[in-house]
Amino acid sequence: MAKSRKRFTALLGLVLCCSLTVESMTVRAGSLDDLKGGLSAVLNPGASSSTEIMNATATALNLNLSVEEEQESTLVMANVKNALNVRCDAGEDADRVGKLYKDCGGTILERRDGWTKLQSGNIVGWASDEYLLFGEDALALANDVGKMIATVDTEALRVRREPSTEASILGNLPRGEIVEVLDESEDGWVCVDYEGEDGWVSAAYVSMDFLIDAGETMEEIKAREEAEREAKRHVNYGQYTTDADTMLLLAALIYCEAGGESYEGQVAVGAVVMNRVRSSAYPDSIHGVIYASGQFTPAMSGKVNKVYESGNIKESCIRAAEEAISGVSNVGDLTHFRRNNGREGLVIGNHVFY
């Protein structure tokens, strides 16, 4: 995964290093209590090759591809621990139009007097340069926190254990399924994360996109918080067998993320979810954590829902969910994991936790 993402980022770096007259922007740091996740943005949907990805991403980011004497990146990344306010004008007294969270990015529209006007997701507003990263620093962070994904473009796509039509079949992916890309080095094939295992799919039947988190407008924040309150209301009124349903939802996520991992790895994924529930930086319910924008690819693609509704979940994943809900954690208080790409952290099976 590191290889494919770094190769893409090298291309993205070339795109981002395009001529653009940059002016100014405004933002103020938000409080920890206001932080409730972020909205992810797929920057270049539909691209199927590295060149197309580079061009489509440039288009999505409103980048100028002409090369002039002074080259300047239009990428900007949030440089905060929690969140910062994006405002309608370049000043701390201006009304808020949204929030950027840790590791969120956007496009520079204008800069002046220590403020930057940016676009991130549906947000267009100003933020203080004090809380932003530019140029190589922004690109390095985007490379670290962003990820390449593949969307299935055919009715049923076979996932093989090796990059060959003669290799055994690991499983099948339906149209519209979104999976994380691990490697693109084999001509005509893409290595993807298939339920915690390495699987190979034909590149001809997937669209490649680079995913990076974006901010939320104040309207989006309000809608999300209202949905979370509604979910809590149903739990409080006991309209569902809440404990059993919540446990199975977590088990479904564990199955999608680590179904092919050891039991220890499955418990670790469940523990990450529960650590987020206990953290003030994330939604305070299992449902809210799992469906927070841009956090878990299987939830974003709808696969978690399908597995949950089918009830076809490995017994080990159900036991792992029960353990995690009971308070067991084999990853301490860590709140993130991804495929092991050499990143520093606690390695369990094919995942690194940090």
Side-chain angles (χ1 to χ4, degrees), residues 10 23 26 32 52 61 66 77 90-91 95 101 117 126 165 199 208 253 265 279 286 301 309 337:
E23 291 145 15
T26 301
L32 183 60
E52 291 178 6
L61 289 174
S66 64
M77 297 291 293
D95 292 338
Y101 305 102
K117 186 178 183 180
W126 294 82
T165 55
M208 305 286 285
L253 176 71
S279 170
I286 292 175
S301 69
E309 291 168 1
F337 73 94

Side-chain angles (χ1 to χ4, degrees), residues 83 115 144 192 302 335:
W115 292 83
D144 187 43
V192 301
T335 55

Side-chain angles (χ1 to χ4, degrees), residues 223-240 242 246 284-288 291:
R224 173 175 52 76
E225 290 177 345
E226 287 178 351
E228 290 172 359
R229 284 193 293 269
E230 179 67 10
K232 290 181 180 180
R233 185 182 70 82
H234 286 296
V235 171
N236 293 339
Y237 281 89
Q239 295 182 1
Y240 304 96
T242 305
T246 300
D284 58 2
S285 69
I286 292 175
H287 181 279
Y291 290 106

